[in-house]
Amino acid sequence: MRASDIMTRDVKTVAAEATIDEAVNILLSIRASGLPVLDAAGRLVGIVSESDFLHRVEIGTAKRRPRWIEFLLGPGEVAEAYVMSHSRKVGDVMTRDVVTVAANASLSEIVAVMDKRKVKRVPVVTGDELVGIVTRSDLLRALTACRQASAPAAPLDDQAILDRLIAELKEQGFASPRTLDVTVDRGVVTLTGEIFDERQRAALICAAENIPGVTRVLDQLVWIEPFSGMTLESKTGMM
């Protein structure tokens, strides 16, 4: 899937010369947390989001550091903070360093951008033209659509289940089959052996549960704390 497959095409935008009141009203009316900002020529020049309005003088949340810190930071930093908390124009408070993706960008590329930049939305552009936006909600809808479209796989027999699970463990690398004893009987997977991090338990159970034909997973794993050698068995004994 590509950006063009899941993006929102009818994108609400705001002009750089608009007031912050206009931007806030749009955000509230469409229940969004951010808006692309366009210049007079319709080019994308920034993003304005809820976080840009957190430190405002009107609500008493403007940032103000002790004088000695302001002295060390210099007048530029102080001036910038003042504009963010006092300006009435979107262009003054928006984030200018906007990362974009092309319409043919893969979903993995988009998620990598979101992770790296810690953003909730990524504008989609063709040249200088804004053609859409991909938000976390768009990714969630894509996830739901993919899961609903997937036809249930035919159940596997016991040996095929075992082979599939061992192959998954070797590929993923979070647990070594050499420290485990896995058996399958009429769709019931029994996990026995040693793990060295409690998080491995959940991953092993998840890997087994995702195999078609598995009806139950019995957890008989023993956790060994690597430094002390202390052991701890599953609290439930089964999942």
Side-chain angles (χ1 to χ4, degrees), residues 77-139:
E77 291 281 346
V78 179
E80 183 179 20
Y82 180 85
V83 170
M84 287 295 295
S85 61
H86 287 72
S87 179
R88 300 179 181 182
K89 292 182 180 180
V90 169
D92 288 335
V93 303
M94 69 183 183
T95 299
R96 294 180 177 275
D97 183 20
V98 182
V99 61
T100 62
V101 296
N104 64 349
S106 68
L107 300 196
S108 61
E109 291 175 305
I110 295 170
V111 171
V113 168
M114 289 181 169
D115 285 341
K116 182 177 181 180
R117 299 295 293 268
K118 294 180 172 55
V119 295
K120 298 179 180 180
R121 66 200 62 79
V122 180
V124 183
V125 297
T126 298
D128 291 334
E129 181 186 2
L130 177 71
V131 295
I133 193 166
V134 175
T135 67
R136 292 180 180 179
S137 296
D138 293 320
L139 290 166

Side-chain angles (χ1 to χ4, degrees), residues 68-81:
W68 67 271
I69 293 182
E70 292 182 345
F71 176 78
L72 293 175
L73 291 175
E77 291 281 346
V78 179
E80 183 179 20

Side-chain angles (χ1 to χ4, degrees), residues 31-83:
R31 297 182 179 180
S33 60
L35 289 171
V37 183
L38 306 183
D39 65 10
R43 293 184 295 260
L44 180 69
V45 292
I47 289 281
V48 65
S49 63
E50 294 170 331
S51 61
D52 295 318
F53 303 123
L54 293 182
H55 301 285
R56 293 291 304 183
V57 66
E58 295 91 341
I59 56 177
T61 57
K63 287 183 178 179
R64 189 63 192 267
R65 302 179 178 90
R67 287 289 185 181
W68 67 271
I69 293 182
E70 292 182 345
F71 176 78
L72 293 175
L73 291 175
E77 291 281 346
V78 179
E80 183 179 20
Y82 180 85
V83 170

